[in-house]
Amino acid sequence: MAETTTDIFVNTVQALSLAKDLEGVMRIVRRVARELTGADGATFVLRDKDQCYYADEDAISPLWKGSRFPLESCISGWVMIHKEPALIRDIYEDSRIPAEAYRPTFVKSLAMVPIRKLDPIGAIGNYWANQHTPTPEQLRALQALADITAVSIENINIRNTLEQEVKDRTRALSESLIREKELGTLKSIFVSMASHEFRTPLGAILSSVTLAEKYTATEQQDKREKHYRRIKSSVRNLIDILNDFLSIDKLEAGTIVADMERFDLQALLQDNVEEVEGMRKENQSIRFTHTGPVTVCLDRKMMRNIVLNLLSNAVKYSERDIELVSLINEREILITVTDHGIGIPEAQQDKIFSKFFRASNSSSMQGTGLGLNIVKHYVNLQGGNIDFTSSPEGTTFRVRFPR
Ligand code: ADP
């Protein structure tokens, strides 16, 4: 039994309700459009701003699939602009038709209806190889097909928007869960690190205070002062650990920016050397040499932190002399810190700038594994780079900034 228009519509509506994307809709519509009117070809045209895009077609020979034309220069554009169908029995007699575009095709007659009449988003075209006028019934059916197409496209758009929204929210949620988890890990690392790292300076403070109390005689001033120095250095150590911890959070949040100013680098490095004097081991000296001009334009606080970290590591991880060398020429500013200490095991060298990383040969020494991570952030924030070479004979860190 031949399919009636109603049958075609029922099947079409069912098929469209299952279409997942625009391609699916077009595949159904281009076929049904021909079936409904017995046309020799059908096109599915989409409005793309001020152009008509011939997105799909089903015809006895090729039409314009993939082409774009300005709205004003084609009949599908006319249909969209005027929000009404166009019926043309002889295309070569109608001024709305660009004859040149039709000459290579089989088309003699056409019917074109807008998709979504109120505010057209496209058009459906029907074409005949011989002069033909569709019946009013066929035209109504074609317009009904265009209307149901509009509803399907809108549904797909709504579904896509919703799916995108669900995806965005899921991503935001999982990102915040990851951050939450990271914070949790960070907290527990901090607790175990703090309880370990705070014990030594706190113990030193307690023993120095106890001893200083005992030195009551005036002539014991020297001894008292020695203990005050120990207390000060231990407190400074505690503050440094806390500051490192706070900096990491801010650095990772990206809220820290370099505050560039002109200053005397040689003088700053000299101060740094004096600051680590108190940490030096017996028979360990720090030799500092500078070559070239002395003025730089960098972040003074960050530079202090970088050099102090590298120097205190050199002191901590070696027993012998340390060299701090700075060089400024017209191209760059170069600072190197060299020690002759335990070195960084080769297999672990690529992790050395990671947060909390401590090499396997350094576990017996105090440390948090935060210093070099902060140093790298600070160097990068000032547009510089840091690298190192290390062997069991010692380590050299090199920090470079373009001038
Ligand atoms: P910390 O010294 O507090 O552990 P850092 O981030 O400064 O943390 O250094 C990370 C790790 O890199 C250290 O634990 C140590 O294993 C290694 N390291 C850093 N500097 C040196 C050095 N000069 N010599 C040998 N090992 C070093």
Side-chain angles (χ1 to χ4, degrees):
M1 208 172 64
E3 264 192 322
T4 63
T5 307
T6 316
D7 291 337
I8 296 176
F9 262 107
V10 169
N11 293 338
T12 305
V13 169
Q14 271 170 356
L16 283 176
S17 72
L18 298 174
K20 290 202 164 46
D21 50 25
L22 189 59
E23 280 68 38
V25 170
M26 292 195 297
R27 247 194 322 272
I28 297 163
V29 171
R30 63 174 197 196
R31 179 179 47 79
V32 176
R34 274 186 77 181
E35 260 177 53
L36 281 173
T37 58
D40 298 316
T43 54
F44 194 109
V45 188
L46 285 169
R47 182 174 182 162
D48 183 7
K49 295 187 194 105
D50 53 0
Q51 289 195 321
C52 301
Y53 172 50
Y54 281 71
D56 207 352
E57 67 190 24
D58 181 63
I60 51 171
S61 65
L63 292 167
W64 308 276
K65 185 170 172 177
S67 307
R68 284 169 198 277
F69 303 102
L71 273 189
E72 315 75 49
S73 73
C74 61
I75 191 68
S76 56
W78 186 93
V79 161
M80 288 187 240
I81 293 168
H82 292 84
K83 303 174 182 174
E84 60 180 81
L87 260 188
I88 302 175
R89 188 172 161 76
D90 183 346
I91 54 154
Y92 295 107
E93 302 240 303
D94 195 300
S95 61
R96 293 170 293 178
I97 296 288
E100 281 321 301
Y102 280 73
R103 234 178 278 285
T105 71
F106 65 84
V107 179
K108 290 282 175 313
S109 306
L110 69 78
M112 178 78 71
V113 291
I115 301 175
R116 198 171 74 181
K117 249 184 160 174
L118 272 181
D119 179 18
I121 49 173
I124 296 172
N126 263 194
Y127 308 87
W128 288 269
N130 299 310
Q131 285 204 350
H132 175 88
T133 310
T135 63
E137 239 69 335
Q138 286 174 329
L139 199 64
R140 269 220 313 278
L142 199 60
Q143 185 60 62
L145 176 67
D147 294 344
I148 181 75
T149 302
V151 174
S152 304
I153 293 178
E154 264 161 33
N155 276 347
I156 287 171
N157 286 345
I158 292 171
R159 195 170 54 209
N160 286 347
T161 315
L162 282 177
E163 271 174 12
Q164 192 53 46
E165 228 165 80
V166 170
K167 268 190 208 150
D168 289 349
R169 292 204 182 165
T170 313
R171 195 182 323 112
L173 198 66
S174 75
E175 276 169 9
S176 76
L177 278 176
I178 291 172
R179 176 95 186 116
E180 191 99 327
K181 213 169 142 206
E182 269 180 4
L183 273 179
T185 321
L186 223 59
K187 267 188 211 154
S188 58
I189 290 175
F190 177 71
V191 170
S192 68
M193 180 201 79
S195 52
H196 182 251
E197 292 305 308
F198 282 20
R199 198 169 294 149
T200 315
L202 286 174
I205 293 171
L206 189 63
S207 77
S208 283
V209 170
T210 316
L211 288 169
E213 268 176 352
K214 289 191 182 145
Y215 299 128
T216 47
T218 321
E219 63 277 14
Q220 288 174 320
Q221 179 66 13
D222 269 5
K223 287 185 175 157
R224 278 198 299 275
E225 271 171 9
K226 187 182 124 207
H227 286 292
Y228 293 152
R229 275 199 301 278
R230 262 183 75 190
I231 292 170
K232 269 193 197 156
S233 134
S234 298
V235 170
R236 216 173 289 130
N237 186 211
L238 287 173
I239 293 173
D240 284 346
I241 294 176
L242 280 175
N243 279 343
D244 275 1
F245 216 82
L246 294 176
S247 308
I248 284 282
D249 224 28
K250 282 195 211 139
L251 281 167
E252 289 192 345
T255 54
I256 294 185
V257 285
D259 180 13
M260 306 298 233
E261 59 177 316
R262 292 172 76 81
F263 62 90
D264 180 335
L265 180 74
Q266 186 182 12
L268 180 93
L269 297 181
Q270 190 57 52
D271 287 350
N272 291 161
V273 171
E274 277 152 34
E275 273 187 75
V276 288
E277 275 293 300
M279 295 168 61
R280 253 190 328 111
K281 291 167 190 153
E282 252 176 82
N283 305 324
Q284 191 177 47
S285 71
I286 304 174
R287 195 147 30 92
F288 169 43
T289 53
H290 177 85
T291 315
V294 295
T295 310
V296 292
C297 184
L298 291 168
D299 184 306
R300 182 199 283 269
K301 283 194 190 135
M302 287 186 188
M303 288 309 293
R304 173 179 175 271
N305 188 297
I306 291 167
V307 178
L308 280 183
N309 256 302
L310 296 179
L311 280 180
S312 58
N313 277 351
V315 167
K316 186 161 55 169
Y317 298 113
S318 80
E319 304 294 323
R320 299 180 27 215
D321 294 348
I322 291 154
E323 288 109 50
L324 168 65
V325 176
S326 56
L327 172 119
I328 300 182
N329 58 31
E330 59 284 355
R331 275 178 301 114
E332 63 176 4
I333 300 155
L334 173 69
I335 300 169
T336 62
V337 178
T338 303
D339 65 54
H340 305 278
I342 60 172
I344 302 159
E346 206 178 327
Q348 297 172 13
Q349 290 188 359
D350 57 336
K351 301 201 195 71
I352 214 69
F353 293 107
S354 310
K355 198 167 53 175
F356 297 117
F357 183 78
R358 306 208 62 219
S360 52
N361 59 347
S362 61
S363 51
S364 61
M365 285 158 255
Q366 275 223 293
T368 59
L370 290 178
L372 285 182
N373 182 271
I374 294 173
V375 164
K376 190 167 170 62
H377 275 297
Y378 281 170
V379 171
N380 294 344
L381 280 171
Q382 296 174 90
N385 63 65
I386 178 164
D387 61 18
F388 66 92
T389 45
S390 188
S391 74
E393 278 76 55
T395 305
T396 298
F397 277 91
R398 278 175 300 273
V399 180
R400 276 198 181 82
F401 300 95
R403 194 117 190 265

